[in-house]
Amino acid sequence: YTPYPGSCSSANDSMWTFFTDVAGQDGEVDAEELQKCLTESGISGSYSPFSLETCRIMIAMLDRDNTGKMGFNEFKELWAAINAWKQNFLNTDQDRSGSVEHHEFSQAIAIMGYRLSPQTLNAIVQRYSKNGRIFFDDYVACCVKLRALTDFFRRRDHLQQGSVNFMYEDFLQGTMKI
Amino acid sequence: YTPYPGSCSSANDSMWTFFTDVAGQDGEVDAEELQKCLTESGISGSYSPFSLETCRIMIAMLDRDNTGKMGFNEFKELWAAINAWKQNFLNTDQDRSGSVEHHEFSQAIAIMGYRLSPQTLNAIVQRYSKNGRIFFDDYVACCVKLRALTDFFRRRDHLQQGSVNFMYEDFLQGTMKI
Ligand SMILES: [Ca+2]
Ligand SMILES: [Ca+2]
Ligand SMILES: [Ca+2]
């Protein structure tokens, strides 16, 4: 035991302190708390801070028990994921315009392993871009949604045939929360 | 012809003037322009203004040609829809708490004609509420998504059996834009 905060503590211990600060009394992190801590931590760098909507989507991605909140392990997982997306965004923005344009997005999506038609790519870019540019916040929201919807589809595509028979309520439960 | 703005003009003419103001040079209204004009018009009343995300969802609902922008007819349609949702929200918020709670939401959804299980209702309320309260902006986003996803599903449910076989890309195109 030392009286100095942070001394002798592993990265995991600092993360725990950070988490308990953010989580507050209920010991879990909801979308508002996540947005506040992401903004204060400066993790977006020079990019715009994350919108509340993107924070909700990020939580929905990891929230296996459907509480809308994250415990410590989910929080750590998300933190690592955000850093990975930031690196991914930097790599994708090859012309350093500060945003991802259509051709950069197509390449990035292919590298992530998706095989999408030009029509699907157009629909996605149109939805997540402003004047043809996808900014960091929307890029992350888009990648998270694409991954979450693909995971949801894949879990039901038992024969891996690229087609799934959905019942209405199951379809709604999977898509409304993302 | 009269020199007085608005005089002798029908409601449709004023709407057209308003629309051209909002649309700017390209003659179409995108999500940013919509958010700006909704905020300035005060259509949300004492409720929080619409988020950019909700504006995008509202446009996606009406945007049949997939441009992410609205022409005059879509704009008029949306304007009417927003006024209807505002009235609907007021009716739904029976205890005048300024927000829609779980039991109020369940009733409203049933009145709209949806038959959803408690599990699906819980998942939706959890996603669109803050501390158990659904506010106007999220309520509209939620109702629009529910309607758009249901329409998307129904258009493919040719036999009206409540089950649909989706191909992966078709599934993505329908769900990513909403
Ligand atoms: Ca908390
Ligand atoms: Ca770029
Ligand atoms: Ca209420």
Side-chain angles (χ1 to χ4, degrees):
Chain A
Y1 172 79
T2 83
Y4 316 116
S7 63
C8 299
S9 75
S10 70
N12 200 49
D13 288 344
S14 330
M15 197 61 168
W16 171 253
T17 308
F18 182 50
F19 171 77
T20 52
D21 261 18
V22 171
Q25 273 207 319
D26 66 352
E28 292 214 285
V29 172
D30 62 25
E32 278 87 11
E33 290 165 340
L34 178 63
Q35 186 188 32
K36 190 160 172 288
C37 98
L38 290 177
T39 302
E40 288 172 0
S41 74
I43 200 172
S44 306
S46 57
Y47 304 125
S48 300
F50 289 104
S51 65
L52 186 59
E53 178 65 16
T54 302
C55 292
R56 284 171 165 177
I57 293 170
M58 294 193 288
I59 291 182
M61 174 186 71
L62 296 173
D63 183 26
R64 288 167 201 109
D65 55 355
N66 267 316
T67 60
K69 299 177 177 190
M70 288 185 295
F72 182 51
N73 286 328
E74 293 161 330
F75 186 74
K76 271 197 300 187
E77 197 177 333
L78 182 59
W79 205 260
I82 291 173
N83 279 299
W85 284 318
K86 202 170 149 184
Q87 192 55 52
N88 177 289
F89 185 83
L90 278 168
N91 295 341
T92 304
D93 178 21
Q94 292 180 338
D95 63 3
R96 295 280 176 273
S97 66
S99 56
V100 165
E101 283 75 39
H102 195 299
H103 65 284
E104 294 171 335
F105 184 73
S106 306
Q107 283 183 21
I109 284 294
I111 291 170
M112 291 178 212
Y114 295 98
R115 297 284 167 271
L116 303 179
S117 67
Q119 196 193 353
T120 304
L121 278 171
N122 285 341
I124 294 174
V125 170
Q126 185 263 293
R127 168 68 168 76
Y128 294 91
S129 62
K130 292 167 184 159
N131 297 317
R133 304 173 66 184
I134 307 177
F135 294 96
F136 183 53
D137 175 49
D138 288 320
Y139 182 78
V140 171
C142 175
C143 292
V144 171
K145 280 181 81 157
L146 188 55
R147 191 170 108 183
L149 288 167
T150 300
D151 284 350
F152 174 64
F153 191 93
R154 189 188 287 123
R155 279 196 302 276
R156 279 152 184 79
D157 187 12
H158 305 294
L159 303 174
Q160 308 239 13
Q161 294 186 315
S163 85
V164 170
N165 201 60
F166 283 105
M167 302 298 291
Y168 172 60
E169 289 219 30
D170 183 42
F171 170 80
L172 274 190
Q173 281 185 36
T175 55
M176 280 296 286
K177 82 174 232 182
I178 300 159
Chain B
Y1 171 81
T2 83
Y4 317 116
S7 64
C8 300
S9 74
S10 69
N12 200 48
D13 288 342
S14 330
M15 196 64 168
W16 171 252
T17 308
F18 181 51
F19 171 77
T20 51
D21 260 19
V22 170
Q25 273 207 318
D26 67 351
E28 292 214 286
V29 172
D30 62 24
E32 278 88 8
E33 290 165 341
L34 177 63
Q35 185 188 34
K36 190 158 172 287
C37 98
L38 290 177
T39 303
E40 288 172 359
S41 74
I43 200 171
S44 305
S46 57
Y47 304 124
S48 300
F50 289 104
S51 66
L52 186 59
E53 178 65 17
T54 302
C55 292
R56 283 171 165 177
I57 293 170
M58 293 193 289
I59 290 182
M61 173 187 72
L62 296 172
D63 183 24
R64 289 167 202 108
D65 53 355
N66 268 317
T67 59
K69 298 177 176 188
M70 286 184 297
F72 182 51
N73 287 328
E74 294 161 329
F75 186 75
K76 272 196 300 186
E77 197 177 334
L78 182 59
W79 205 259
I82 291 173
N83 279 300
W85 284 319
K86 201 169 149 186
Q87 193 54 52
N88 177 289
F89 185 83
L90 278 168
N91 295 341
T92 305
D93 178 20
Q94 292 180 337
D95 63 3
R96 293 282 176 273
S97 66
S99 55
V100 165
E101 284 74 38
H102 195 299
H103 66 284
E104 294 172 335
F105 185 73
S106 305
Q107 283 184 20
I109 284 293
I111 291 169
M112 291 178 212
Y114 295 98
R115 298 285 167 271
L116 303 180
S117 67
Q119 196 193 355
T120 303
L121 277 171
N122 284 341
I124 294 175
V125 170
Q126 183 263 293
R127 168 68 168 77
Y128 294 91
S129 62
K130 292 167 185 159
N131 296 317
R133 305 173 66 184
I134 307 178
F135 293 97
F136 183 53
D137 175 48
D138 288 320
Y139 182 79
V140 170
C142 175
C143 292
V144 171
K145 279 181 83 156
L146 188 55
R147 191 170 108 182
L149 288 167
T150 300
D151 284 349
F152 174 63
F153 191 93
R154 188 188 290 123
R155 279 197 302 274
R156 278 149 184 82
D157 187 11
H158 305 293
L159 302 175
Q160 308 238 12
Q161 295 187 314
S163 85
V164 169
N165 201 59
F166 282 105
M167 302 298 291
Y168 172 60
E169 290 220 29
D170 183 42
F171 172 79
L172 274 190
Q173 281 185 33
T175 56
M176 281 296 286
K177 82 172 233 185
I178 300 160

